[in-house]
């Protein structure tokens, strides 16, 4: 059996594993997964099947999930198709896949209405990056295949891409810091990086250690420029220019902009020195 498989990205437990892992991991039984789709605006993915378990990440509406087990207590154990993260999700936030998404939410947050009228109370809200299937346009609204209405200016074709991931990150300025979060209600350092890069069409792992290993190319710290990712042990920030950066952090308990040298001096006391700076080719125009 191999020991090289990443535990956060491998659907395997001592009692259960994905069938494609047979011969690679030890498990009491192996099963085929079932495709599901996230139907809640955002769905927590937790480390264990308890509502107060640590939040590892969030899945957004329209994301596909492969589910390997659904418990009687209402927990689905599965793997996100997008970034491969494995964990436990509330099963009532998942459903059989519906029509393929046609649009993504391009605003930091948008509202969902029961009819094409801004005067009625909204029935929900969707975060940036959520995906949905649009049936048709009705004035300033887009009607989804589920029969709800979303302001059309807050949507973009699902295949479209943002031009500058730093500008996407800057939209979250002031958002509360939340471990495991990925929305305008709260997010963490690596969540901010993942959401921003994904909006620009770049594949990005979920956690900062994974990002440090896989995103972009290492560059000399002295050549800082907009879009560089600055890594510490357990933390990541996004360079806005040669002297300032933006990051979700527990010191400010928010997404904040601050001078890079000032942050390096402060973080040195808790997380040590900068471990590397990486640049995503073509990520900023």
């Amino acid at each position: 059996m191999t020991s090289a498989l990443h535990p956060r990205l491998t659907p395997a437990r001592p009692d259960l594993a994905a069938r494609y892992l047979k011969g690679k991991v030890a498990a009491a039984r192996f099963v085929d997964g079932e495709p599901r789709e996230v139907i809640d605006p955002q769905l927590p993915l937790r480390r264990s099947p308890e509502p107060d378990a640590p939040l590892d990440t969030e899945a957004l509406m329209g994301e596909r999930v492969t589910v390997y087990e659904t418990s009687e207590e209402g927990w689905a154990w599965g793997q996100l198709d997008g970034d491969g993260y494995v964990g436990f999700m509330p099963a009532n936030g998942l459903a059989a896949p519906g029509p393929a998404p046609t649009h993504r939410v391009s605003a930091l947050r948008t509202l969902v209405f029961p009819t094409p009228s801004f005067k009625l109370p909204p029935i929900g809200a969707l975060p940036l990056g959520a995906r949905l299937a649009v049936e048709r346009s009705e004035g300033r609204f887009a009607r989804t295949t589920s029969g709800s209405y979303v302001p059309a200016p807050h949507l973009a074709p699902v295949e479209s891409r943002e031009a500058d991931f730093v500008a996407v990150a800057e939209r979250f300025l002031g958002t509360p810091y939340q471990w495991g979060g990925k929305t305008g209600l709260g997010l963490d350092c690596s969540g901010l990086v993942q959401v921003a890069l994904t909006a620009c069409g770049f594949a990005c792992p979920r956690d900062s250690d994974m990002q440090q290993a896989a995103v972009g190319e290492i560059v000399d710290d002295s050549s800082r420029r907009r879009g560089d990712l600055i890594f510490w042990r357990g933390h990541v920030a996004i360079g806005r220019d040669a002297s300032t950066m933006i990051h979700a952090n527990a010191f400010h308990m928010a997404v904040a902009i601050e001078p890079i040298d000032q942050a390096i001096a402060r973080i040195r006391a808790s997380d040590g020195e900068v471990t590397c700076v990486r640049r995503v080719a073509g990520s900023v125009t």
Side-chain angles (χ1 to χ4, degrees):
M1 302 296 178
T2 181
S3 59
L5 297 173
H6 199 300
R8 281 168 275 168
L9 305 178
T10 304
R13 310 181 327 220
D15 63 320
L16 180 66
R19 192 176 302 281
Y20 73 86
L21 292 171
K22 194 167 186 177
K24 300 179 180 180
V25 301
R29 62 191 180 98
F30 295 84
V31 299
D32 295 316
E34 296 184 353
R36 291 290 183 267
E37 179 179 326
V38 177
I39 57 173
D40 283 359
Q42 66 252 21
L43 193 67
L45 184 147
R46 301 192 182 277
R47 204 164 302 172
S48 57
E50 294 94 19
D52 58 351
L55 177 68
D56 280 338
T57 188
E58 292 178 309
L60 307 183
M61 176 178 280
E63 283 196 60
R64 299 298 169 94
V65 181
T66 302
V67 172
Y68 295 98
E69 178 188 64
T70 301
S71 71
E72 294 181 357
E73 292 76 24
W75 290 95
W77 180 69
Q79 183 172 34
L80 304 183
D81 288 5
D83 62 20
Y85 223 105
V86 174
F88 294 87
M89 295 153 277
N92 59 8
L94 300 169
T102 60
H103 289 73
R104 60 178 177 86
V105 175
S106 54
L108 186 63
R109 201 159 187 84
T110 192
L111 297 176
V112 182
F113 294 88
T115 70
S117 172
F118 296 108
K119 297 181 179 180
L120 291 178
I123 56 175
L126 298 174
L128 186 146
R131 295 181 293 172
L132 59 163
V134 170
E135 193 174 76
R136 63 177 183 269
S137 296
E138 292 191 20
R140 296 277 288 169
F141 283 89
R143 177 186 165 91
T144 71
T145 54
S146 65
S148 59
Y149 293 81
V150 178
H154 292 175
L155 299 178
V158 72
E159 69 276 4
S160 67
R161 300 291 181 261
E162 302 283 347
D164 181 352
F165 89 92
V166 183
V168 176
E170 289 171 338
R171 296 184 206 168
F172 288 90
L173 186 63
T175 297
Y177 178 83
Q178 180 191 9
W179 183 273
K182 282 180 56 174
T183 77
L185 294 177
L187 75 177
D188 60 15
C189 64
S190 56
L192 179 65
V193 170
Q194 187 188 48
V195 168
L197 279 173
T198 299
C200 295
F202 293 95
C204 181
R206 177 58 178 89
D207 295 339
S208 62
D209 62 328
M210 301 175 187
Q211 293 168 357
Q212 180 173 325
V215 178
E217 299 292 336
I218 294 178
V219 297
D220 188 338
D221 182 43
S222 64
S223 67
R224 299 174 191 156
R225 74 182 192 195
R226 184 175 178 85
D228 285 352
L229 301 179
I230 307 166
F231 290 93
W232 291 262
R233 185 185 73 248
H235 188 58
V236 60
I238 303 169
R240 297 176 66 246
D241 50 40
S243 60
T244 65
M245 67 184 209
I246 184 169
H247 59 151
N249 67 95
F251 178 79
H252 296 95
M253 282 308 296
V255 176
I257 293 172
E258 63 179 317
I260 294 175
D261 290 341
Q262 175 181 299
I264 288 175
R266 188 188 71 253
I267 295 172
R268 182 180 292 121
S270 58
D271 294 322
E273 300 290 347
V274 170
T275 53
C276 75
V277 177
R278 300 187 73 97
R279 183 169 297 159
V280 184
S283 61
V284 178
T285 58

